[in-house]
């Protein structure tokens, strides 16, 4: 799998693409052993992919799960003190890096002890989790212990306990008072059992053990599918309806799985997930450090202390509205001019009649604005203090929207642009420095600049402009899209709206976005063997499937609930 | 018998020693344990303002050879003069380079090699690249710490998301997360109010009973015949992470300092607090060494390409990364920042003053005839040589303390362009690490590199 994991950038361009490894420049297609070649006329078979079967809950998932498990109105906030995880893929749920370490073990142990102490003193809190009858229920102490262990256990482990586990925890429950010294043995049993279950591997990990089926593949069981679905779309444990569908096994049928996937997407709990996905995909957290002094006050008097936050809010409201509200498509995300503005943004977008901090739904000038790449968020993040930054706008779009195989820049010194000579536009300066005929031609001249220059109609904070240094802005260019093996499709455009429309029709772009959703929903990095799946669903997206349909298709794919033969 | 056990041996109960109280009276008795050696690494980002192209030298002492309080006082225009009070206890080394090229991002590639002397990953690449080997702090902890205790891995400043942690690696591509909240770090190591013995015993018994149950569950999982080697490693790490309650160590910071840390906790990631958070982390590191909790610690100051807006002379400056590029941009194009080289120099001084704060803390613990500082090494280093060129040559190593007489202090030397593994060997050997044959550590880092220590650093 190591080799496959090493190919994730190439994979991300898998739809209709054939690229030379590490290649920039026109005509560098095909002919390398390590390339992903997807022939649209003969779809690549969809392969199953292996990854760790012990993905640890993220801190956010731990927090949400504890809240739901204890049926609390709000999170306890105990995970805020957990030692952080190292960075992984674009998203925070990359199972490869989510491991249990000594520091985290102790942090979680202390959080569980805090919960145990709370349960020991708070009868109302206990009442939410003890089964009907509770300590006053029928039977002897062992029967009462069994009732608690099994009712709480099935939700804590997100599956029924095995007989061995049940016996183990019943004995633990009954012996708890001798350890805690609690006067009430039932209370001691409840709180110590909760403390122990929250530290047990079936709670800590969203395990994918499954079983080998007749087809030779490892199939997740219904409870594992329920958890995978719930954590993918809600970032928390399954709800009662999902548990019921796991218990009766119906969740293993495609139609029931689809019904639940759509139910979860239609629930308000899907909103934070859509926010989280796009915030990370578009690096919107970088707005958090764009304070008032980060844009030049003379050149950009519209930039206030709250502009960056307004921009982040706009793009999140927009992506939520398109995906959940309008049940829209990737093409809508790339081309819709209907967005949300407040006074901060109205000043930049040239919208009249908007005041205050509240965001209002508005249609922007369709000749200037189309989709999130024309939002202030993307343009200001990838904009300088005074001047535009076509290089970073181009790099970001290549990497995160097209998923082009753009290699990292050369090591060592990056020569800065020469001082700004009067009478030269940013496009002219960047072209002379990095364009065709320079040593930067390979990547900058053919991939980065042609995208970045299309945004030259926006200044460093995303305000529309028609001139640069008194010279009319030139925002036309062309880009070599890799639509099929050995086939480069060079498409021209003039300005950002035309570019957005071109992007919205490219297989490469739909494959890119689909691949990101695969990473998010599956909780792992994209690998080479995902090519066939990404190719198929990317084409669905290209032909008009909504973002929700793309997500559901990923969940219904065999790769979601199966692992390759034998597996790991 | 290490110091922690020694202190516990005093009576078994938690004894709160006031901050700065000397340990010397007890530690100097016959039959005491050997000196507790340690290594602390502070890391600055973005290189230093040393001579490069037209920019003058403002970092290193003016002459190779002996350094002293007097010589460093005379070198007032050099950033390292901030440490003049420690002149005779310093070993300042230039002429050390990273052995391997980065893979698309100079900062990330430098961070990958900073304490590992290992190669930079092919994939992931760019700002996501990872080291292909373990870091020296990990090696020291693995070899010298009792009970498998982890190295202390701390951070100051924001995590901006481009490159966050860079320093500490459990092994190839296994980057360790760093704690940026001093209050979290402190309470994790030392606890808050020491509970009564009875309460502590009850808590420890509860923890142990849960842990025993978890151990049994982990053993059952590990017994599965169908685990991949990767998943077995993952579960092994979990199993070895299970810790019964450790009685918190018998040293404390003063209550006023703990209160300050508590107040700082919610804003510890705000870059405006980076210097104070760094000092708090230094307090914790020094106390951890005094208590013998771990033989190694790291403090990463700032994110991978530190974009903190440092304050110089009361004025908030442009982002440090941009200053290191000398332009208002994180890339290649941007307007020039006036006096950027001088600003970089002033930021170098800020880091040296933080380092001096650490040395002051270490020096305040009296041990025998000397201080804690003399027993170990504290190192201020960088993951680049210079900012503009992203150079991997002349990486700064400002080392204080002689590791109990292992290092020759009071000197500034040029190692002659050796690769950084030899520096890592020297520092690892200084605190007691051995190679596979039981001799002093001489083969740390990538196996293709020339083995050995930097002889001129030794007494």
């Amino acid at each position: 799998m190591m080799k496959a994991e090493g190919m994730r950038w190439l994979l991300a361009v898998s739809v209709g693409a054939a690229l030379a490894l590490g290649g920039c420049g026109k005509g560098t297609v095909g002919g390398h052993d390590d390339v992903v070649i997807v022939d649209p006329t003969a779809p690549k078979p969809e392969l199953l992919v292996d990854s760790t079967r012990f993905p640890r809950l993220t801190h956010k998932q731990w927090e949400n799960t504890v809240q739901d498990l204890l049926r609390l109105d709000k999170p306890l906030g105990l995970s805020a003190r957990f030692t952080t995880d190292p960075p992984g893929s674009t998203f925070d749920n990359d199972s490869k890096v989510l491991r249990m370490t000594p520091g985290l073990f102790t942090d979680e142990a202390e959080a569980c002890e805090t919960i145990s102490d709370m349960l020991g003193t708070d009868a109302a809190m206990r009442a939410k989790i003890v089964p009907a009858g509770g300590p006053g229920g029928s039977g002897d102490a062992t029967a009462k212990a069994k009732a608690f262990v099994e009712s709480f256990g099935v939700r804590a482990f997100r599956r029924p306990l095995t007989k061995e586990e049940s016996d183990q925890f019943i004995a633990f429950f009954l012996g708890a008072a001798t350890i805690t010294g609690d006067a009430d043995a039932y209370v001691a049993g409840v709180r110590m059992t909760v403390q122990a279950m929250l530290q047990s591997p079936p709670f800590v990990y969203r395990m994918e053990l499954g079983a080998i089926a007749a087809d030779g593949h490892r199939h997740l069981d219904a409870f594992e599918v329920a958890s995978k679905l719930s954590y993918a779309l809600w970032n928390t444990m399954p709800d009662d309806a999902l548990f019921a569908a796991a218990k009766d096994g119906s969740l293993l049928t495609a139609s029931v799985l689809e019904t639940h996937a759509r139910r979860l997407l239609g629930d308000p709990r899907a909103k934070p997930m859509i926010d989280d996905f796009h915030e990370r995909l578009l690096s919107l957290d970088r707005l958090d450090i764009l304070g008032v002094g980060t844009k030049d006050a003379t050149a950009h008097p519209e930039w206030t202390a709250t502009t960056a936050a307004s921009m982040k809010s706009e793009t999140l409201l927009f992506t939520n509205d398109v995906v959940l509200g309008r049940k829209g498509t990737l093409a809508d995300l790339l081309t819709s001019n209907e967005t949300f503005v407040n006074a901060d943004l109205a000043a930049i977008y040239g919208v009249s009649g908007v005041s205050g901090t509240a965001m209002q739904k508005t249609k922007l000038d369709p000749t200037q604005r189309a989709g999130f790449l024309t939002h202030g968020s993307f343009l200001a993040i990838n904009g300088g203090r005074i001047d535009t930054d076509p290089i970073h706008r181009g790099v970001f779009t290549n990497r995160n929207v097209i998923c082009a195989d753009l290699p990292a820049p050369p090591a060592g010194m990056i020569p800065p642009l020469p001082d700004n000579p009067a009478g030269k536009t940013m496009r002219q300066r960047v072209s002379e420095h990095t364009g065709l005929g320079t040593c930067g031609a390979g990547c900058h001249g053919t991939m980065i600049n042609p995208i970045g220059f299309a945004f030259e109609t926006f200044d460093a904070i995303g305000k529309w402009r028609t001139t640069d240094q008194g010279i009319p802005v030139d925002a036309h260019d062309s880009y070599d899209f890799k639509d099929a093996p050995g086939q480069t499709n060079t498409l021209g455009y003039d300005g950002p709206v035309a570019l957005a429309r071109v992007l919205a029709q490219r297989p490469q772009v739909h494959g890119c976005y689909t691949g990101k959703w695969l990473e998010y929903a599956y909780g792992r990095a994209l690998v080479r063997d995902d090519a066939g799946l990404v190719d198929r669903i990317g084409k669905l997206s290209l032909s008009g499937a909504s973002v929700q349909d793309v997500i559901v298709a990923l969940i219904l794919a065999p790769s979601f609930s199966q692992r390759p033969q034998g597996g790991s | 018998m290490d110091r922690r056990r020694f202190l516990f041996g005093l009576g078994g109960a938690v004894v709160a020693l006031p901050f700065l109280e000397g340990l010397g009276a007890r530690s100097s008795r016959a039959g005491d344990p050997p000196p507790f050696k340690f290594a602390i690494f502070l890391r600055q980002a973005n290189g230093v303002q040393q001579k490069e192209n037209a920019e003058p030298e403002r970092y290193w002492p003016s002459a190779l050879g002996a350094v002293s309080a007097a010589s460093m006082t005379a070198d007032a225009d050099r950033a390292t003069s901030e440490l003049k009070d420690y002149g005779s206890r310093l070993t300042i080394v230039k002429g050390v380079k990273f052995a391997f090229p980065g893979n698309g991002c100079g900062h990330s590639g430098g961070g990958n090699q900073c304490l590992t002397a290992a190669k930079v990953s092919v994939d992931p690449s760019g700002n996501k690249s990872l080291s292909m080997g373990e870091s020296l702090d990990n090696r020291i902890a693995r070899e010298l710490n009792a009970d498998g205790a982890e190295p202390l891995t701390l951070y100051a400043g924001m995590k901006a998301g481009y490159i966050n942690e860079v320093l500490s690696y459990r092994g190839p591509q296994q980057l360790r997360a760093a704690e940026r909240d001093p209050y979290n770090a402190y309470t994790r190591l030392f606890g808050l109010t020491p509970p009564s013995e009875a309460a502590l015993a009850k808590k420890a018994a509860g923890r142990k009973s849960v842990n025993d149950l978890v151990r049994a569950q982990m053993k059952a999982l590990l017994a599965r015949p169908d685990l991949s080697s990767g998943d077995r490693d993952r579960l092994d790490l979990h199993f070895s992470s299970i810790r019964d309650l450790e009685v918190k160590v018998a040293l404390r910071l003063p209550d006023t300092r703990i209160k300050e840390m508590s107040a700082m906790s919610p804003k510890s990631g705000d870059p405006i607090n980076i210097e104070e958070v760094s000092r708090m982390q230094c307090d914790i590191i020094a106390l951890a060494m005094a208590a013998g909790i771990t033989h190694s610690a790291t403090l990463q100051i700032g994110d991978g390409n530190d974009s903190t807006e440092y304050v110089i002379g009361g004025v908030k400056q442009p982002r440090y990364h941009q200053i290191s590029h000398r332009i208002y941009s994180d890339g290649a194009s941007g307007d020039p920042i006036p006096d950027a080289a001088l600003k970089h120099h002033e930021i170098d001084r800020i880091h040296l003053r933080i380092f001096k704060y650490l040395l002051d803390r270490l020096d305040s613990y009296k041990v025998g005839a000397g201080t804690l500082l003399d027993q170990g090494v504290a190192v201020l280093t960088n993951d680049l040589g210079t900012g503009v060129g992203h150079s991997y040559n002349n990486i700064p190593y400002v080392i204080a303390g002689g590791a109990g007489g292992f290092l020759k202090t009071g000197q500034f030397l040029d190692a002659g362009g050796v690769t950084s593994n030899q520096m890592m060997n020297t520092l690892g050997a200084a605190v007691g690490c051995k190679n596979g044959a039981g001799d002093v550590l001489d083969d740390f880092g990538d196996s293709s590199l020339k083995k050995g220590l930097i002889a001129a650093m030794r007494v």
Side-chain angles (χ1 to χ4, degrees), chain A residues 298-315:
Chain A
T298 308
H300 305 293
E302 302 88 355
W303 192 261
T304 73
T306 55
T307 305
S310 297
M311 287 179 166
K312 186 173 182 176
S313 177
E314 178 206 357
T315 299

PDB file of all heavy atoms in Angstrom, chain A residues 298-315:
ATOM      1  N   THR A 298      -3.871  52.384   2.747  1.00  0.00           N
ATOM      2  CA  THR A 298      -4.017  53.388   1.686  1.00  0.00           C
ATOM      3  C   THR A 298      -4.546  52.762   0.406  1.00  0.00           C
ATOM      4  O   THR A 298      -5.464  53.274  -0.231  1.00  0.00           O
ATOM      5  CB  THR A 298      -2.648  54.051   1.407  1.00  0.00           C
ATOM      6  OG1 THR A 298      -2.119  54.505   2.646  1.00  0.00           O
ATOM      7  CG2 THR A 298      -2.808  55.214   0.449  1.00  0.00           C
ATOM      8  N   ALA A 299      -3.956  51.627   0.061  1.00  0.00           N
ATOM      9  CA  ALA A 299      -4.380  50.968  -1.181  1.00  0.00           C
ATOM     10  C   ALA A 299      -5.760  50.327  -1.026  1.00  0.00           C
ATOM     11  O   ALA A 299      -6.512  50.234  -2.002  1.00  0.00           O
ATOM     12  CB  ALA A 299      -3.355  49.913  -1.575  1.00  0.00           C
ATOM     13  N   HIS A 300      -6.066  49.883   0.180  1.00  0.00           N
ATOM     14  CA  HIS A 300      -7.312  49.133   0.380  1.00  0.00           C
ATOM     15  C   HIS A 300      -8.073  49.657   1.599  1.00  0.00           C
ATOM     16  O   HIS A 300      -8.171  48.983   2.629  1.00  0.00           O
ATOM     17  CB  HIS A 300      -6.999  47.634   0.563  1.00  0.00           C
ATOM     18  CG  HIS A 300      -6.190  47.083  -0.563  1.00  0.00           C
ATOM     19  ND1 HIS A 300      -6.680  46.956  -1.833  1.00  0.00           N
ATOM     20  CD2 HIS A 300      -4.899  46.646  -0.606  1.00  0.00           C
ATOM     21  CE1 HIS A 300      -5.730  46.461  -2.624  1.00  0.00           C
ATOM     22  NE2 HIS A 300      -4.641  46.266  -1.907  1.00  0.00           N
ATOM     23  N   PRO A 301      -8.610  50.867   1.497  1.00  0.00           N
ATOM     24  CA  PRO A 301      -9.288  51.462   2.652  1.00  0.00           C
ATOM     25  C   PRO A 301     -10.526  50.687   3.087  1.00  0.00           C
ATOM     26  O   PRO A 301     -10.991  50.844   4.213  1.00  0.00           O
ATOM     27  CB  PRO A 301      -9.669  52.861   2.149  1.00  0.00           C
ATOM     28  CG  PRO A 301      -9.649  52.769   0.660  1.00  0.00           C
ATOM     29  CD  PRO A 301      -8.612  51.753   0.321  1.00  0.00           C
ATOM     30  N   GLU A 302     -11.055  49.817   2.215  1.00  0.00           N
ATOM     31  CA  GLU A 302     -12.251  49.047   2.581  1.00  0.00           C
ATOM     32  C   GLU A 302     -11.921  47.933   3.575  1.00  0.00           C
ATOM     33  O   GLU A 302     -12.825  47.339   4.158  1.00  0.00           O
ATOM     34  CB  GLU A 302     -12.886  48.394   1.339  1.00  0.00           C
ATOM     35  CG  GLU A 302     -13.284  49.373   0.241  1.00  0.00           C
ATOM     36  CD  GLU A 302     -12.142  49.655  -0.724  1.00  0.00           C
ATOM     37  OE1 GLU A 302     -11.010  49.167  -0.485  1.00  0.00           O
ATOM     38  OE2 GLU A 302     -12.376  50.383  -1.706  1.00  0.00           O
ATOM     39  N   TRP A 303     -10.648  47.607   3.737  1.00  0.00           N
ATOM     40  CA  TRP A 303     -10.269  46.465   4.593  1.00  0.00           C
ATOM     41  C   TRP A 303     -10.357  46.864   6.062  1.00  0.00           C
ATOM     42  O   TRP A 303      -9.631  47.728   6.527  1.00  0.00           O
ATOM     43  CB  TRP A 303      -8.850  46.009   4.251  1.00  0.00           C
ATOM     44  CG  TRP A 303      -8.520  44.676   4.880  1.00  0.00           C
ATOM     45  CD1 TRP A 303      -7.811  44.477   6.026  1.00  0.00           C
ATOM     46  CD2 TRP A 303      -8.882  43.393   4.402  1.00  0.00           C
ATOM     47  NE1 TRP A 303      -7.725  43.128   6.294  1.00  0.00           N
ATOM     48  CE2 TRP A 303      -8.370  42.434   5.317  1.00  0.00           C
ATOM     49  CE3 TRP A 303      -9.615  42.933   3.301  1.00  0.00           C
ATOM     50  CZ2 TRP A 303      -8.555  41.059   5.151  1.00  0.00           C
ATOM     51  CZ3 TRP A 303      -9.788  41.573   3.135  1.00  0.00           C
ATOM     52  CH2 TRP A 303      -9.261  40.651   4.060  1.00  0.00           C
ATOM     53  N   THR A 304     -11.275  46.248   6.797  1.00  0.00           N
ATOM     54  CA  THR A 304     -11.459  46.577   8.210  1.00  0.00           C
ATOM     55  C   THR A 304     -11.054  45.387   9.075  1.00  0.00           C
ATOM     56  O   THR A 304     -10.705  44.324   8.558  1.00  0.00           O
ATOM     57  CB  THR A 304     -12.931  46.910   8.520  1.00  0.00           C
ATOM     58  OG1 THR A 304     -13.677  45.686   8.482  1.00  0.00           O
ATOM     59  CG2 THR A 304     -13.508  47.882   7.497  1.00  0.00           C
ATOM     60  N   ALA A 305     -11.165  45.588  10.377  1.00  0.00           N
ATOM     61  CA  ALA A 305     -10.800  44.519  11.313  1.00  0.00           C
ATOM     62  C   ALA A 305     -11.730  43.314  11.190  1.00  0.00           C
ATOM     63  O   ALA A 305     -11.392  42.223  11.626  1.00  0.00           O
ATOM     64  CB  ALA A 305     -10.824  45.057  12.743  1.00  0.00           C
ATOM     65  N   THR A 306     -12.910  43.519  10.595  1.00  0.00           N
ATOM     66  CA  THR A 306     -13.872  42.406  10.522  1.00  0.00           C
ATOM     67  C   THR A 306     -14.043  41.848   9.115  1.00  0.00           C
ATOM     68  O   THR A 306     -14.806  40.904   8.909  1.00  0.00           O
ATOM     69  CB  THR A 306     -15.255  42.865  11.037  1.00  0.00           C
ATOM     70  OG1 THR A 306     -15.663  44.021  10.294  1.00  0.00           O
ATOM     71  CG2 THR A 306     -15.208  43.208  12.511  1.00  0.00           C
ATOM     72  N   THR A 307     -13.351  42.409   8.135  1.00  0.00           N
ATOM     73  CA  THR A 307     -13.570  41.968   6.750  1.00  0.00           C
ATOM     74  C   THR A 307     -13.247  40.494   6.559  1.00  0.00           C
ATOM     75  O   THR A 307     -14.007  39.750   5.919  1.00  0.00           O
ATOM     76  CB  THR A 307     -12.721  42.823   5.788  1.00  0.00           C
ATOM     77  OG1 THR A 307     -13.023  44.199   5.995  1.00  0.00           O
ATOM     78  CG2 THR A 307     -13.017  42.453   4.350  1.00  0.00           C
ATOM     79  N   ALA A 308     -12.121  40.060   7.115  1.00  0.00           N
ATOM     80  CA  ALA A 308     -11.715  38.663   6.900  1.00  0.00           C
ATOM     81  C   ALA A 308     -12.757  37.709   7.468  1.00  0.00           C
ATOM     82  O   ALA A 308     -13.105  36.709   6.832  1.00  0.00           O
ATOM     83  CB  ALA A 308     -10.345  38.414   7.525  1.00  0.00           C
ATOM     84  N   ALA A 309     -13.268  38.037   8.652  1.00  0.00           N
ATOM     85  CA  ALA A 309     -14.287  37.162   9.259  1.00  0.00           C
ATOM     86  C   ALA A 309     -15.555  37.160   8.416  1.00  0.00           C
ATOM     87  O   ALA A 309     -16.217  36.115   8.254  1.00  0.00           O
ATOM     88  CB  ALA A 309     -14.592  37.626  10.684  1.00  0.00           C
ATOM     89  N   SER A 310     -15.913  38.322   7.860  1.00  0.00           N
ATOM     90  CA  SER A 310     -17.104  38.384   6.994  1.00  0.00           C
ATOM     91  C   SER A 310     -16.902  37.517   5.757  1.00  0.00           C
ATOM     92  O   SER A 310     -17.828  36.843   5.282  1.00  0.00           O
ATOM     93  CB  SER A 310     -17.384  39.828   6.573  1.00  0.00           C
ATOM     94  OG  SER A 310     -17.691  40.622   7.697  1.00  0.00           O
ATOM     95  N   MET A 311     -15.691  37.532   5.237  1.00  0.00           N
ATOM     96  CA  MET A 311     -15.410  36.730   4.033  1.00  0.00           C
ATOM     97  C   MET A 311     -15.537  35.235   4.317  1.00  0.00           C
ATOM     98  O   MET A 311     -16.056  34.486   3.507  1.00  0.00           O
ATOM     99  CB  MET A 311     -13.997  37.049   3.527  1.00  0.00           C
ATOM    100  CG  MET A 311     -13.907  38.417   2.872  1.00  0.00           C
ATOM    101  SD  MET A 311     -12.226  38.791   2.317  1.00  0.00           S
ATOM    102  CE  MET A 311     -12.577  40.207   1.245  1.00  0.00           C
ATOM    103  N   LYS A 312     -15.026  34.844   5.480  1.00  0.00           N
ATOM    104  CA  LYS A 312     -15.134  33.429   5.842  1.00  0.00           C
ATOM    105  C   LYS A 312     -16.608  33.044   5.982  1.00  0.00           C
ATOM    106  O   LYS A 312     -17.051  32.008   5.478  1.00  0.00           O
ATOM    107  CB  LYS A 312     -14.395  33.198   7.154  1.00  0.00           C
ATOM    108  CG  LYS A 312     -14.295  31.755   7.595  1.00  0.00           C
ATOM    109  CD  LYS A 312     -13.398  31.689   8.821  1.00  0.00           C
ATOM    110  CE  LYS A 312     -13.186  30.298   9.340  1.00  0.00           C
ATOM    111  NZ  LYS A 312     -12.229  30.282  10.459  1.00  0.00           N
ATOM    112  N   SER A 313     -17.345  33.900   6.649  1.00  0.00           N
ATOM    113  CA  SER A 313     -18.764  33.643   6.855  1.00  0.00           C
ATOM    114  C   SER A 313     -19.485  33.535   5.521  1.00  0.00           C
ATOM    115  O   SER A 313     -20.319  32.643   5.306  1.00  0.00           O
ATOM    116  CB  SER A 313     -19.324  34.781   7.711  1.00  0.00           C
ATOM    117  OG  SER A 313     -20.688  34.626   7.897  1.00  0.00           O
ATOM    118  N   GLU A 314     -19.159  34.424   4.600  1.00  0.00           N
ATOM    119  CA  GLU A 314     -19.814  34.406   3.283  1.00  0.00           C
ATOM    120  C   GLU A 314     -19.617  33.061   2.589  1.00  0.00           C
ATOM    121  O   GLU A 314     -20.575  32.424   2.139  1.00  0.00           O
ATOM    122  CB  GLU A 314     -19.242  35.505   2.377  1.00  0.00           C
ATOM    123  CG  GLU A 314     -19.875  35.470   0.985  1.00  0.00           C
ATOM    124  CD  GLU A 314     -19.019  36.042  -0.146  1.00  0.00           C
ATOM    125  OE1 GLU A 314     -17.919  36.543   0.130  1.00  0.00           O
ATOM    126  OE2 GLU A 314     -19.458  35.957  -1.302  1.00  0.00           O
ATOM    127  N   THR A 315     -18.371  32.630   2.511  1.00  0.00           N
ATOM    128  CA  THR A 315     -18.103  31.415   1.732  1.00  0.00           C
ATOM    129  C   THR A 315     -18.724  30.190   2.394  1.00  0.00           C
ATOM    130  O   THR A 315     -19.215  29.286   1.708  1.00  0.00           O
ATOM    131  CB  THR A 315     -16.586  31.268   1.511  1.00  0.00           C
ATOM    132  OG1 THR A 315     -16.138  32.406   0.770  1.00  0.00           O
ATOM    133  CG2 THR A 315     -16.260  30.009   0.741  1.00  0.00           C
TER     134      THR A 315
END
